[in-house]
Structures are given as C-alpha cells and as structure tokens.
Amino acid sequence: MNQTRTSESRDPHEDGRTRMRAVVGSDRIEEEIFGRVFDGKVTRRIWQFVRPYKRQVAISVVTVVAFTCSQLSIPLLIRYAIDNGMTPDAPPGILLKIVALFALVVATNFVASLVQESVTGRMAENVLFDIRRAMFGHLQRVSLSFMDKTEVGRLMSRLQGDVNSMQEFLETSVLAIGDILLLFGIVAAMLWLDWQLALMVLTVIPILLVVRILWLTRARAAFMAAHEANSITNGALAEAIHGVRAVQAMDRASLNAELYGELVDNTLNAQLRASKLAQIMIPIVDALTGSAMGVVAVAGGLMVASQRIEVGVMVAFLFYIQRFFDPIRSLTMQYSVMQRAMASGHRLTEVLDVEVGVEDAPDAHSLGEDDDGSVEFRNVTFGYNRENPVLKDVNFRVNSGETVALIGPTGSGKSSSMALIHRFYDVQDGAVLVGGHDVRNVTQDSLGRHIAMVLQEPYLFTGSVRDNIRYASDWADDEAVVEAAIAVGAHEFIEALPQGYDTMLAERGSNLSLGQRQLLSFARALVADAKILVLDEATANIDSYTEMQIQKALQRLLEGRTGLVIAHRLATIRNADRIIVLQQGRLVEQGDHAKLIEHGGLYAQLYQLNYASFDDLPDELSDEDRTLAT
Amino acid sequence: MEAATLNPQAITKMTNTAHSGREAGADRLFRRTSSVDPHVGLGAIARITRMAFRYPLRAGLALAATVAAVLMQLSIPVILGRAVDRAQAVAEAKAEPETLYRIALLLFLASVARGIFTLIQNYSAESVGHLMARDIRNAVYGKIQNLPFSFHDRTHSGDLITVGMLDLEGVRMYFSTALVRTVLLGLLIGLGATLLLSTNLTLGLLALSFVPFAGWRSTVMRLALRRTWLVLQERLGVLSQVMEENLAGIRVVRAFAASEHEITKFEAASKSALQLSHERIETRVNNTSAMTLAFFAAMGLVLYFGGRQVTSGEISLGTLATFLTFMSILQMPVRQMGMMVNGYARASTCGARLFALIDHESKVENAPDARDLKISEGTLRLENVSFAYNGNSDRQAVSGISFEARKGETVGIVGPPGSGKTTLMHLIPRFYDPAAGSICIDGQDIRGATLSSVRQAVAVVQQDSFLFTTSIENNIAYADPFTRSHQIRDVAESAQLHDSVLGLPGKYGTIVGERGVSLSGGQRQRLSIARTLMMKPAVLIFDDSTAAIDAGTESRIRTALKAYAKDRVTLIVAHRLASLMHADRILFIEHGRIVEQGSHDELLRLGGRYNDLHELQMHPSAEMLVRKEDGR
C-alpha cells in the first residue's frame, strides 16, 4: 500500500492534467557507426580473408596505377600537341604521332579501368561472401547458450550490414590509392610544368581541404540525423502495417495519423537540412576552381605573354584544375568509409571469435545401427553457470523402446535434461550416456541421427510442405514423406492444401494452424527415423479436436522407439511406461502411474487436482511442497 | 546525399523480415494481390509531375535555376578559350595585358554563378522531392491504417512496406533525377551543340560524336542494372531468409544435426546471389569503360583535326581549347543519361504501385450519412447474419446467425476449429460487413454508424495480440492515451498482469514488442486483455484470447472482471470449456451456424455436441479418443 502511494505521489499527472502516452514507431537500438580509423587487430583478422586473393589485389593496384597515370598524362599530351604540333613551324606528321601516342594512352586507360574495376569488384564481393560464409558456418557451431542470449536481429545485422560496409571499404580502398596518386600526380605535373604558376594555383588545395574537412563533420551529423529520422518514420510505418488490426480495434487510426504526421515533418526538416548542407559545397568548390582558373588566366596569361611558358602549359593547367576536386572529395569520403568499416570489422571479429562451446572429441566415434536406444543419466549436475545448477545429481535410465514422461513444475530442469541428451550443452558433473556411450565421446552428427527431437514450438522453414517434413533427412524419398504424414494424420489436411505437398509455407508456416504445424513437426521427426525420440509437448491450449489428432500421432511416433517426453497433458502421461518427476533440479520420484499414486507424492497431488494440463498450478504446488518439506 | 536519406539495406531488411522472404523484391509486388492492380505507364508519370507542381515555386525555381546553371556552364569553355587567345594576343602585343584581368574576373564570376545556380537547382529539386514524399507518406499511412481487414488479409505486409518505403523513394527521386535532369541535358546538349556547330561544323560533329554512343550505352546499362538489381534483391532476400530462419530455428537445426544441410542451403543461396553480383559488375564495367573510350576517341579526333585547323589558321587555339573543355564538361551528364531514363522507368512502376494503394477504395467505410452510435441500454442484437470471405456465397463462413445479448450478460461461443466463431466476432466491430442480415446496438444498425463510434463501443481481445514497441504503460493506454497511471494499474491488476510487470526490470516503463523485452505468450495475452479493458466498451469480446493463460490465472481474471462485466455485454470465444461454462448462455457453432444453445447445464442435459466436447475435455485418455474417432 505504501509502495503504491509513493509511486502515485511521484506521478506527475495526478493533478488532473494528463500527458499523452501515445507514440507511433519507436527508437531503434543504435550501434556505433564510426569506429577508429585504424584498428590493427581488426585489420589483421580481415586480412586473413583478403589473403587468398593476393594476386587480385596486386593486379588491382597495378592497374589502378596504370589508370591514374594515363589520366594524368592526357593534359600533358594536349599540351605537347599544342606546343609542338600546332605551331606554324611544326614538322609535318608530328601531330599525327602525338595523336597516335594519345590513342595509346587512351587504350591503356581503357584496359586498365576494365581490368581494375572488374577485378576489384569481384574480389570485394568474394571476400564479402567468404566472411559471411565463415560467420554463418561458425554460428552453426557456437554454443547454444550464446545463441539463446543473442537476438537474431543482431546477428543478422552482422551478417548483412556489417559485411556490406566491409565490402564497400575493400572496393573503395583500391580507388583511394588511385585518388592519392592522382592528387599527388596533379601537383607534381603542375610543378613540373611551371613551379611558380603551380604554387600560385595550388594555394586553393589546402583551402579546399580545410573547407571540406570542416564541412564534413557538420554534414555528417546532418546526414545521420536525416537517416535516423527517416528510419524512425519507416519504423512507424512498418508498425502500422503489422499492427493494423490492433490499431483499428482500438480506434487509434486518426491519432496515429497525427503522430505520424509529426514524424514525417521531422524527417522532412532533417532531410531538407541535409540536402542544404550537401549542396552548399558546390558553390564553394566552384568559387575555388573559378579563382584558380582566374589565376591561370591572369598569371598564366602574363607568363605566356612574356614567353616564360608556352600556351599549351596554360591549357594543361586549366585541365588539371578541373580535376582538382575529385580526388579530394573521394578521399574525404573514403575516410568515413574506413571508420565505418573498422566499426563493422570489430563487430564481425566479435562474432567470428565467439567460442565454440561443444566440440567433437578428437577421437569421437559414430553412433551406429548397432547401438541401442537407451539413455542414462549418471550423477548429472548441470547449470548454465557454475553457481546455479539447474540439475543436481540426477540419475535415471531409460531402456531401449521404453517411453518415459518427464514432469515437473516450471523451472524444475525438464528442458535442460532434454538438451543434455542431445549434448546441446556439456554436463558439469557426471555423464549422459546414449546407446551406452558417453555423449562426449561420440560425434554430434551421429548423435543427431540417433535422436529425433520435437520442440515445444513447432518451427517450420520457408519451403514446401514436403521439404519441411523431409528437412535434413536427405535419404528419405517422397514416398517416405507421404508415409510419415499419413502416420501422424497430417496427410488429409496436406492434400487439401492448394498444391498438396508442394504448397509453399508462408513465414514460419503462419498459413497453417498451430495444430497442423505440430503434426508436421511430428512427421519430420518420424521421417528422421531415429532410435530415440525426445519431445517437448506444447503447453498452449489447442482445441480438443486437434488435441485428439495430436495424441494419436504421438502414439504412432513413439512406436518402436525410446521416448522421452516432457509431458503436460494427462493423456500423454498416462500412456507412458514410466513417469519421472523433477522438482527444483532433483529427481523426486519415478515409477508408473499406479505406483506414484500409491506413493502419494507430488505426482499424486497434481493428479488429484484433476487439471487437464499439468502446468496449470505449478507455483502454488511447489510453494506448498516447499512448506511441507521444511 | 542519397546515402543520407535512402538506405536500401535497412529497407531490404525490414521487407525481408516482414516478408515470407521468397517474395522479396519490388518487382513481384502485388502479383498475388487481386486487390491492387497497378497500370504501369505514362499515367503515373503525368500524375507524379502534377504532384511536383503542387509546389510551383520550388519546382519553377528548380527549372529556372537549371537554365541559368546551364548557361553559366556553357559560358565557361568560351571564356577559357578567350583567355587562351587573349594570352597569345598579349604575347603578340595585339592586346593590353589588363584585359586578362577582365577575363579572369569573368571566369571567376561565371564559376561562382554556376555554383550558386546549381545549388538552387539541386536544393529546390530535392526539396520538391522531399515535400512530395511527405504528402505521399501521410496518404499511404492513412490509407493503410484505414483499409479494412479484408484488404490486409489479401495483401502481404512485406509488399506494403516495399510500397511505403522503396516505391516512395522511386517517386521522390523522380523530379530531381528524371525531370530536372532532362531539362539540364536537353539544354546542355542542345545549346552546346548549336554553339559548337555554328563555330565549326566539322569539329563540332567530332566533339559531339561520343554523345549518342555514350547516351545509348548508359541507358542500356542502367536498364540492365535495374533489371538485375530487382532479381538480385530477390536472391539476397532468399539468402537473408535462409540465414534468418537458420538462426531463429537453431534448436531445430541442432536437434536434427542439420548444419551440413543448412550450410548447403546457404551456399546455394549465396552462390546464386554472388553470381548475379558478378554479372552486374561485368555490365557496369564494360559499359562505363566503353563510354570512356568513346569519349577519349572523340577527343583524340578533335585534337588531331582541330590541331590541323589551328596550324592552318582556320581556328584559333582558344577555339580548340573551348571545344576540348566543353567536351569534358559534357562528359559526366551524358554518362548519366541512363540515370535519367532509369528515373522515368522507376517512377512509372513505383508510382503505379503507390497510386494503386492510395486510390484503393475501402469496402468498409462510413456511410455518407453515418452518425455516432448512441449507447443507452447496451443491447447487442444480431439478426440473420451471414458472411462469406471474398464474397463467395457458396462458402459462407457465417450463415443465418441471430442472437441477442443485454447489458450484463455473458455469452460463450464454442465450436470446432474453422466453424466461423472468429469470423462472427469480427463482424460485430465492423472489421468486415456482413453480406446479409444486420447487427444492431441499441437498435442502431452498425453499418449506419461511424466506424470510430462502433470500434469504441465494441472492443475485441484478439487471438494474436500485437504489441507495440513501447512501454507496457503505453501499450495498456493504447486505446486511451490520456488515461491516468492509477487506471493503468487498475486494469493491469484486473488482467492479473500487475505482478508480472513488477517483476520486469523497468516495471511499467519496460519496453516490449518487437524490439523490446519479449513476454511469454500468457503475459502477452494478459497485456492484450488489460489494454482492451481500458476501452470501457458496450460489447467486450474475448476471441480465443486466453489459450496461453493457465486455468487458475484465467479464473482470477474472471473474478476480477465481475463488476466490470455488469455494465456491458461480454462475448467469450474459447476452446477450454472452463473459460465459458459460467456464461449465461453458450452458443455451439458448427459450419457457421448455431447448432445448440443454452446454459452449460442445459447443454449437458441435451447430450449433444457440447456434451461430447465436455466429455472429451474432462476425461482425456487415448482410449476415449480412439473411440470418438471411430464413432464419427
């Protein structure tokens, strides 16, 4: 009561005035976009992916140099043509020779750009796919506890966004070499042509550089703001699309439109600002180029007049000036690309360096046909961290062909036991034996073939119904798929789908009902035809009609197999050969239904409450039990 | 600039996550959606152009500035040529050195003017685009929010996201990349050609010789790139879907030891995308290199023939310099000709899709003379209500349903899956309109009432509870954002949510939803109940919305709602009979019709369908199930 009062008095809207609690869209989790410009560790790690393409890198660099040189030499050739080929006293045929040389340079330029762009582009793409493949492959092996605590969206942005900015970096870094070369080349060529005129003209370069850098920080902030505002608006649109039914049901459309209008206006303003900043550079650059050209016109003109330089030099200067800004622009852009790439690279290496939790022992052997379907827990203690074991000294054995129901309140360690059988995690103490072998001594692949699993939430992949039932059991032909579907009672509804077994499932099978999805996941386990079936029964209430089908399918699935079922439903439990009751990580009782009823323990209490689902009253019962125990 | 506003990657990501993945790619939009049928063509272009001129000042300014910028642009090579000639003239003492200053000043002023006009041109053009985008965004958003369920049933959410984000960009870019660029290029080439050809026909023709070739290659390239881009997006969509499903379903993958299988899938998707990527590089590189080659070849010719004319004194050196500089000025815009063509192509398809959405007529709308519902007694009455999806009258989802419920009454609705329970519940708040019969609240047909007043009078706790990515508090207050904190707590307590909320790190401020803390199925449903309670409707509907809530909690919710239920009609759809057996009346629905009705006890005594279901739920055992099955 006291608690309530405090929070009430702290509430600023209790004075009768209310603040609107409405928003559309939401802030996104932002990640650091720009990192340090250079990070040795990251660079070394990424270099490992570039190394296989060393030859291509070499070709790229050579061709980019050739390309830049050919570009640099064109104004020089024009100058040469003017000063030596177009004078009245020029020997006949010299102009043709110069133009032939020009043609040669142009041909070099053509070949170099063709080779450079295509080699660099392909290489960057290849490296990108290699990195992605390495990450994806690695994620198949890292421990499930990492996967459990990492959002899929986060990993996806590593696999996509971060990998892409790495690619952008690789592609442009070769060009950066060309740009630096071009900039220095222009400066050198001008100095060589006439150092005095060059120095006069070159004063604009530092100005340009400074202006550009000053501008960049401001512009970048504006671009980011525009980008951010745009993403927020798009996020709100996505929300409206996904949540349209809720919006209409709660009659929020007009208020939302108003709020969205505000977001749109914010975006507009941010974009206009960014646009203004992006354009402001144009007159500045033009003014600087204009003044450089003016300098050439006056100083160069006077030099020509005093015959200090030839007129061709003046023309060449005018050509070079028009190219000044390009390398400066791309170099400053490259700077941002590099920062972004380092931040991305850092995140990529983080994924690549996640520890692989469970690995095959070097001398691991395969579980084969000869190994039976028994499962044994020997003094198993396990926890996701050392301090809080979720299973404490658990011992039990399930014989080949036996069906055991595992029951217990939420948090009793049922799901962890299931995960241990499949060696999703390694035990802290004791051992889990499958087919008489410690799971740590067999290969994970063979373990996977020995055990089929049905998870609580049926998970379907995009693809046809057939592909989903077959999944990884490549050996199963279409007949086997249909057989399995018939066996679990899914055949009828599959046949009723528009394209039968070839019907494509929508995302996660959302065009099927929960019951239907469950039956498909049963069929998938049946096709896998493993000796041991581990099943986590769904807790959600399904209508009784579908429930009936699922019960039948379950029985069919368990025929001739060892079954370990985390059971919630009485019907499932009653059909098991044996029941194991877990509570707070300990095995508290086991036996068949009659024996446990006689024993009068936790199971008997649960049973007497006559609930259809065994999960219904876990808290109270376990509390009660705790009080009884103390 | 483009990078700041358009982030295709992020959009692709959004589209892909929303999409069933395999349909990613803007081109395949609405293929399955009979509801929206875009006509691609000039119509869309004309309409977009009209939209742009809704901002006549900015649009006009952009075009005027373009003309001015082109004129300045053209003057620069001429002035440069004059500078060269003048320098020689000064050398030959035919001109005063001072005249050089005038030329330099002219050069500077022309450059600055060009810069300023270009700034005005670009900024005005872009702001027209941004302003158009604002209008379209608001229109799209309003439309999407108000289009009825039937539209959303048939339209993929990913398609709508593509329209609202990518197609928007296509239309936004139209004015600056297509229209203004056309004017720019037209003037630049037209005036430039006139200038050059009138100065010297041969040299002019040589200087312009690269233009048709480069323009053609550029167009071919852009269109090819656009085509492959759409396919590439699709393939990348598949790739990202393979990765995403793998990561989300990693437990299944591990359970079936299927990483080999998954890596094979990944490799296949990856290779097909990579191959197309390579093709795109090839297309781009081949064409751009060819364009450069054509440009330099033309320059070589100008240099040779121009040089000979200079030697023979036909033209001055300055004229040659003018030709050469004009060529380098023209080079970039010509190479971008493809972007212009692409701008039109993109705007026409994107615009067609956008307009198809914006123009889509809603089937469930306010009648012209619609009035707000007036709630007095709070009596709900359905008379002979029938409904069929897609207007297909052979397969009626609901047929001939009549019942009445008064304030304070609770009606339970039960029946096999697919019997039409949810459909019926969706007719009452007018998510759909019935094909026949009428639904009245206090004697007023809801079709004659404003949608907004109906939605406020009829609240539904839906099966699938969509949570908004915001705080729990805001989610609960969704229907009534001006509510007070203690009211939020009250409904949370009634929905048995309060204790769970206190267990969360940020209490009522905890962000939930897609990007927030994930709640369990039961918590989501309780939150959904809480936010619906906020509405205080005349009719409250629970549409199978307690499936993930355990029986004990559900009964506590029921108890907490006793007083609340007195003031309204409550309809409960549920599978678990315990959820509705306390109702005043229970309707058993099968094939869209009421087959049994009465109180729990009456229906048990009747010994029909309801009784069977009751038996099944009370004594679930395999033998019994088998017996039932055989009995059918």
Side-chain angles (χ1 to χ4, degrees):
Chain A
M1 188 61 221
N2 205 8
Q3 176 73 35
T4 335
R5 181 148 306 188
T6 338
S7 65
E8 235 169 48
S9 59
R10 221 185 282 139
D11 194 309
H13 350 288
E14 287 306 304
D15 53 356
R17 284 185 44 221
T18 49
R19 162 194 59 140
M20 191 166 65
R21 295 170 198 276
V23 282
V24 291
S26 57
D27 296 328
R28 294 148 337 113
I29 306 151
E30 272 308 318
E31 297 188 312
E32 200 187 338
I33 295 176
F34 299 105
R36 279 191 290 167
V37 176
F38 188 79
D39 184 329
K41 193 174 148 258
V42 172
T43 316
R44 272 193 300 281
R45 199 79 168 80
I46 299 301
W47 175 246
Q48 291 175 352
F49 289 97
V50 183
R51 198 160 38 206
Y53 301 97
K54 263 198 291 200
R55 237 192 58 187
Q56 280 91 326
V57 174
I59 294 174
S60 294
V61 171
V62 170
T63 46
V64 84
V65 170
F67 174 75
T68 311
C69 289
S70 67
Q71 282 206 312
L72 277 171
S73 58
I74 282 170
L76 290 179
L77 278 172
I78 291 173
R79 178 248 155 163
Y80 198 65
I82 291 173
D83 292 339
N84 297 308
M86 298 181 200
T87 45
D89 53 343
I94 182 139
L95 187 62
L96 195 64
K97 276 183 200 151
I98 295 170
V99 172
L101 194 62
F102 184 89
L104 194 70
V105 168
V106 167
T108 314
N109 181 284
F110 173 70
V111 174
S113 83
L114 203 66
V115 173
Q116 188 266 325
E117 281 190 48
S118 116
V119 169
T120 316
R122 276 163 177 271
M123 179 200 67
E125 292 273 1
N126 285 334
V127 170
L128 153 105
F129 277 84
D130 289 350
I131 294 179
R132 190 181 281 150
R133 185 185 298 117
M135 286 166 74
F136 185 78
H138 188 67
L139 287 173
Q140 302 308 307
R141 304 194 307 131
V142 302
S143 78
L144 271 183
S145 26
F146 171 80
M147 298 301 287
D148 290 344
K149 59 179 186 251
T150 313
E151 267 176 71
V152 170
R154 211 155 251 276
L155 289 177
M156 285 303 286
S157 88
R158 302 284 169 282
L159 285 162
Q160 295 184 308
D162 287 331
V163 169
N164 285 347
S165 60
M166 215 63 215
Q167 179 207 3
E168 182 191 17
F169 167 68
L170 288 173
E171 223 170 301
T172 51
S173 55
V174 174
L175 295 178
I177 299 175
D179 282 326
I180 293 176
L181 204 65
L182 187 63
L183 191 60
F184 282 104
I186 289 175
V187 172
M190 284 178 156
L191 286 170
W192 178 70
L193 284 170
D194 187 279
W195 67 272
Q196 281 175 328
L197 187 59
L199 285 182
M200 276 187 266
V201 170
L202 288 176
T203 47
V204 302
I205 287 191
I207 300 174
L208 210 54
L209 213 62
V210 169
V211 170
R212 175 82 189 175
I213 287 166
L214 284 179
W215 169 85
L216 197 66
T217 41
R218 256 163 244 244
R220 195 152 83 180
F223 292 162
M224 293 296 300
H227 174 74
E228 185 66 26
N230 193 48
S231 311
I232 290 175
T233 309
N234 280 342
L237 176 67
E239 183 189 80
I241 291 169
H242 295 306
V244 67
R245 288 173 173 80
V247 168
Q248 294 194 4
M250 287 182 275
D251 194 37
R252 264 281 295 264
S254 49
L255 176 58
N256 282 0
E258 225 171 277
L259 295 168
Y260 183 76
E262 284 168 26
L263 291 185
V264 171
D265 285 341
N266 288 344
T267 311
L268 175 68
N269 292 334
Q271 282 176 329
L272 287 179
R273 207 182 115 68
S275 176
K276 208 177 285 174
L277 262 163
Q279 299 304 328
I280 201 77
M281 208 55 204
I282 292 178
I284 297 175
V285 170
D286 272 350
L288 287 170
T289 1
S291 42
M293 287 194 293
V295 168
V296 173
V298 174
L302 290 176
M303 284 174 168
V304 170
S306 62
Q307 300 198 335
R308 266 205 47 201
I309 59 169
E310 288 157 304
V311 70
V313 174
M314 184 177 161
V315 174
F317 261 85
L318 290 174
F319 269 90
Y320 281 131
I321 287 168
Q322 303 199 10
R323 293 299 310 276
F324 258 177
F325 190 61
D326 296 350
I328 292 180
R329 182 177 46 208
S330 41
L331 278 174
T332 45
M333 257 157 66
Q334 178 66 16
Y335 183 79
S336 305
V337 171
M338 199 153 157
Q339 280 179 305
R340 203 158 43 216
M342 282 300 153
S344 293
H346 183 70
R347 287 193 287 265
L348 294 182
T349 40
E350 269 176 4
V351 173
L352 286 166
D353 294 343
V354 173
E355 260 180 73
V356 174
V358 174
E359 264 181 305
D360 282 353
D363 54 347
H365 62 94
S366 285
L367 274 177
E369 275 303 303
D370 305 336
D371 297 297
D372 68 9
S374 66
V375 173
E376 194 177 346
F377 273 51
R378 279 189 195 157
N379 308 321
V380 169
T381 296
F382 167 75
Y384 297 94
N385 51 49
R386 280 262 154 210
E387 298 75 43
N388 300 312
V390 282
L391 289 175
K392 296 161 209 159
D393 198 22
V394 172
N395 280 288
F396 66 82
R397 184 182 157 84
V398 182
N399 295 317
S400 210
E402 203 183 5
T403 296
V404 167
L406 220 62
I407 68 165
T410 315
S412 56
K414 293 170 294 186
S415 306
S416 304
S417 319
M418 294 299 177
L420 290 181
I421 298 172
H422 208 294
R423 209 187 160 208
F424 284 170
Y425 312 97
D426 275 336
V427 294
Q428 282 171 5
D429 235 321
V432 174
L433 284 76
V434 168
H437 301 279
D438 189 321
V439 290
R440 283 168 294 192
N441 297 331
V442 298
T443 62
Q444 293 177 73
D445 267 354
S446 66
L447 196 60
R449 282 192 299 273
H450 212 67
I451 305 168
M453 258 183 142
V454 176
L455 304 175
Q456 198 177 63
E457 295 267 316
Y459 188 91
L460 299 178
F461 294 86
T462 303
S464 67
V465 171
R466 193 193 310 279
D467 291 344
N468 265 288
I469 296 179
R470 180 182 293 134
Y471 190 48
S473 312
D474 301 324
W475 59 86
D477 53 17
D478 290 358
E479 227 166 282
V481 168
V482 175
E483 254 173 52
I486 293 174
V488 300
H491 183 68
E492 253 177 68
F493 87 79
I494 296 172
E495 287 283 274
L497 293 171
Q499 279 98 42
Y501 283 84
D502 294 318
T503 307
M504 297 298 278
L505 295 181
E507 194 179 12
R508 309 267 193 282
S510 58
N511 47 355
L512 300 178
S513 75
L514 179 62
Q516 291 172 330
R517 275 180 277 161
Q518 230 141 27
L519 290 180
L520 286 190
S521 75
F522 280 14
R524 173 153 71 199
L526 195 60
V527 166
D529 194 25
K531 287 202 170 145
I532 301 170
L533 177 80
V534 173
L535 184 138
D536 194 349
E537 199 171 39
T539 46
N541 286 291
I542 310 173
D543 66 278
S544 312
Y545 306 89
T546 313
E547 190 64 59
M548 202 156 73
Q549 287 179 313
I550 286 176
Q551 282 296 336
K552 277 178 63 186
L554 182 56
Q555 285 183 30
R556 174 67 186 75
L557 197 55
L558 287 167
E559 265 170 31
R561 265 176 251 283
T562 310
L564 274 114
V565 183
I566 298 182
H568 308 289
R569 312 225 192 281
L570 211 54
T572 317
I573 295 163
R574 292 243 299 239
N575 285 318
D577 298 318
R578 192 148 49 98
I579 300 158
I580 291 177
V581 185
L582 289 176
Q583 192 177 20
Q584 293 175 345
R586 292 189 189 279
L587 193 155
V588 291
E589 45 186 1
Q590 60 173 315
D592 62 14
H593 177 72
K595 189 181 150 196
L596 289 180
I597 292 292
E598 199 184 325
H599 181 250
L602 182 60
Y603 178 79
Q605 288 179 37
L606 284 165
Y607 181 75
Q608 267 139 32
L609 282 169
N610 197 18
Y611 272 93
S613 160
F614 258 40
D615 267 15
D616 270 2
L617 280 175
D619 302 343
E620 283 141 57
L621 253 188
S622 52
D623 285 349
E624 203 177 307
D625 221 65
R626 239 175 277 138
T627 10
L628 285 177
T630 47
Chain B
M1 189 50 228
E2 228 169 286
T5 46
L6 167 76
N7 183 348
Q9 223 175 69
I11 296 172
T12 314
K13 216 169 79 194
M14 280 177 147
T15 335
N16 288 340
T17 41
H19 255 250
S20 54
R22 88 195 114 89
E23 281 133 347
D27 227 15
R28 307 182 55 177
L29 215 75
F30 290 132
R31 181 181 289 178
R32 299 162 310 125
T33 26
S34 49
S35 48
V36 183
D37 178 27
H39 293 285
V40 176
L42 286 177
I45 294 287
R47 188 159 161 193
I48 299 170
T49 312
R50 279 198 303 277
M51 285 180 81
F53 281 97
R54 250 188 249 162
Y55 298 97
L57 214 68
R58 285 169 191 261
L61 194 62
L63 293 178
T66 307
V67 176
V70 166
L71 290 176
M72 290 303 123
Q73 181 75 296
L74 284 173
S75 72
I76 288 173
V78 178
I79 304 173
L80 280 177
R82 289 250 305 275
V84 172
D85 283 345
R86 192 59 55 92
Q88 282 182 312
V90 173
E92 291 158 24
K94 285 183 200 151
E96 292 301 309
E98 287 72 33
T99 52
L100 283 172
Y101 290 100
R102 226 182 36 233
I103 289 180
L105 186 67
L106 218 56
L107 210 46
F108 176 72
L109 290 179
S111 284
V112 172
R114 178 184 66 179
I116 290 172
F117 286 129
T118 312
L119 172 132
I120 297 173
Q121 169 209 318
N122 289 349
Y123 179 70
S124 310
E126 276 183 15
S127 57
V128 168
H130 289 310
L131 286 161
M132 281 166 70
R134 177 190 62 184
D135 299 344
I136 295 172
R137 276 187 146 132
N138 284 328
V140 165
Y141 187 86
K143 199 73 196 182
I144 284 174
Q145 277 203 125
N146 289 308
L147 279 169
F149 279 30
S150 56
F151 173 85
H152 290 285
D153 292 344
R154 270 171 297 154
T155 313
H156 205 288
S157 57
D159 290 344
L160 289 179
I161 287 181
T162 315
V163 174
M165 298 180 193
L166 285 178
D167 289 343
L168 174 84
E169 290 297 320
V171 172
R172 181 176 75 76
M173 302 297 284
Y174 165 77
F175 189 69
S176 55
T177 58
L179 201 65
V180 169
R181 203 184 289 268
T182 307
V183 174
L184 178 93
L185 263 176
L187 282 176
L188 201 58
I189 295 176
L191 292 178
T194 316
L195 185 80
L196 293 193
L197 293 175
S198 65
T199 311
N200 187 305
L201 191 65
T202 335
L203 273 194
L205 284 175
L206 287 177
L208 293 170
S209 64
F210 82 99
V211 172
F213 177 78
W216 168 60
R217 285 317 310 169
S218 159
T219 305
V220 168
M221 172 183 82
R222 276 292 151 193
L223 295 180
L225 285 180
R226 179 178 155 76
R227 263 196 312 279
T228 44
W229 186 80
L230 293 172
V231 183
L232 182 63
Q233 284 312 102
E234 209 167 302
R235 294 193 185 173
L236 287 174
V238 173
L239 176 62
S240 80
Q241 168 220 311
V242 166
M243 296 191 293
E244 209 248 316
E245 287 191 355
N246 169 281
L247 297 176
I250 195 80
R251 282 182 174 269
V252 177
V253 176
R254 301 280 172 97
F256 284 83
S259 48
E260 283 298 320
H261 175 78
E262 288 290 309
I263 288 174
T264 317
K265 269 205 287 192
F266 170 85
E267 288 284 346
S270 190
K271 276 216 180 81
S272 90
L274 184 61
Q275 187 207 347
L276 200 65
S277 261
H278 284 338
E279 275 174 36
R280 278 172 57 77
I281 293 173
E282 245 18 64
T283 311
R284 203 182 59 219
V285 170
N286 288 343
N287 284 295
T288 50
S289 302
M291 283 186 263
T292 314
L293 186 64
F295 169 73
F296 281 132
M299 191 180 243
L301 290 174
V302 170
L303 197 62
Y304 179 66
F305 290 102
R308 280 180 39 171
Q309 290 189 352
V310 170
T311 320
S312 67
E314 264 175 82
I315 57 167
S316 70
L317 187 58
T319 309
L320 180 63
T322 301
F323 273 77
L324 291 175
T325 30
F326 179 74
M327 281 182 78
S328 47
I329 280 173
L330 201 58
Q331 189 201 1
M332 239 19 236
V334 169
R335 296 177 73 138
Q336 289 170 350
M337 214 182 251
M339 281 167 75
M340 173 189 91
V341 177
N342 187 45
Y344 283 106
R346 199 170 157 208
S348 120
T349 45
C350 293
R353 276 191 296 253
L354 259 173
F355 296 139
L357 174 66
I358 292 175
D359 298 343
H360 194 82
E361 273 176 40
S362 176
K363 287 201 185 98
V364 178
E365 259 188 329
N366 283 339
D369 53 348
R371 293 166 42 181
D372 282 351
L373 273 182
K374 290 203 174 53
I375 309 292
S376 46
E377 292 299 305
T379 306
L380 170 71
R381 192 181 159 79
L382 277 77
E383 214 160 332
N384 222 353
V385 170
S386 297
F387 176 79
Y389 287 101
N390 307 323
N392 183 351
S393 55
D394 304 341
R395 292 184 58 186
Q396 286 196 330
V398 167
S399 63
I401 289 206
S402 305
F403 71 88
E404 193 184 85
R406 294 175 180 282
K407 190 197 274 185
E409 274 188 322
T410 299
V411 178
I413 290 142
V414 69
S419 55
K421 305 180 295 282
T422 293
T423 308
L424 180 62
M425 292 306 109
H426 281 177
L427 295 177
I428 301 172
R430 270 194 89 191
F431 292 156
Y432 304 86
D433 276 337
S438 68
I439 300 173
C440 295
I441 296 175
D442 283 341
Q444 306 151 75
D445 191 320
I446 55 171
R447 272 170 301 185
T450 58
L451 270 177
S452 175
S453 68
V454 174
R455 303 267 159 87
Q456 278 171 18
V458 183
V460 189
V461 186
Q462 286 163 324
Q463 263 174 23
D464 178 25
S465 42
F466 179 89
L467 300 187
F468 296 90
T469 309
T470 175
S471 64
I472 291 189
E473 183 178 47
N474 286 357
N475 264 292
I476 297 177
Y478 197 77
D480 182 6
F482 295 98
T483 197
R484 295 182 186 182
S485 297
H486 68 88
Q487 283 169 321
I488 292 177
R489 210 164 34 239
D490 285 350
V491 291
E493 270 165 10
S494 301
Q496 306 301 313
L497 182 67
H498 185 67
D499 291 342
S500 312
V501 172
L502 292 188
L504 291 170
K507 310 271 187 295
Y508 280 93
T510 310
I511 307 286
V512 292
E514 207 187 337
R515 289 190 207 89
V517 171
S518 56
L519 300 179
S520 73
Q523 286 172 330
R524 293 170 70 93
Q525 291 194 331
R526 281 180 279 151
L527 178 49
S528 175
I529 291 172
R531 73 177 178 197
T532 311
L533 293 180
M534 207 76 222
M535 296 177 70
K536 307 188 176 50
V539 180
L540 174 63
I541 300 173
F542 290 93
D543 183 13
D544 194 16
S545 48
T546 53
I549 300 174
D550 63 78
T553 309
E554 193 191 4
S555 103
R556 285 199 292 276
I557 295 176
R558 213 160 34 235
T559 314
L561 290 185
K562 272 219 173 95
Y564 184 85
K566 280 212 183 82
D567 295 331
R568 49 193 44 91
V569 171
T570 308
L571 304 179
I572 301 176
V573 174
H575 290 302
R576 186 163 49 193
L577 293 187
S579 309
L580 44 75
M581 53 197 204
H582 66 285
D584 299 303
R585 203 151 17 110
I586 297 166
L587 313 178
F588 193 101
I589 296 190
E590 203 169 47
H591 304 305
R593 295 175 180 280
I594 299 176
V595 291
E596 292 173 12
Q597 58 177 312
S599 71
H600 177 69
D601 293 333
E602 285 167 5
L603 287 176
L604 286 189
R605 256 176 275 135
L606 190 69
R609 298 253 197 250
Y610 184 84
N611 186 50
D612 285 354
L613 186 60
H614 184 255
E615 284 293 303
L616 195 64
Q617 290 195 3
M618 288 302 112
H619 309 287
S621 72
E623 305 89 73
M624 159 104 189
L625 298 172
V626 175
R627 189 169 57 81
K628 281 269 165 222
E629 192 76 337
D630 293 345
R632 264 196 184 173

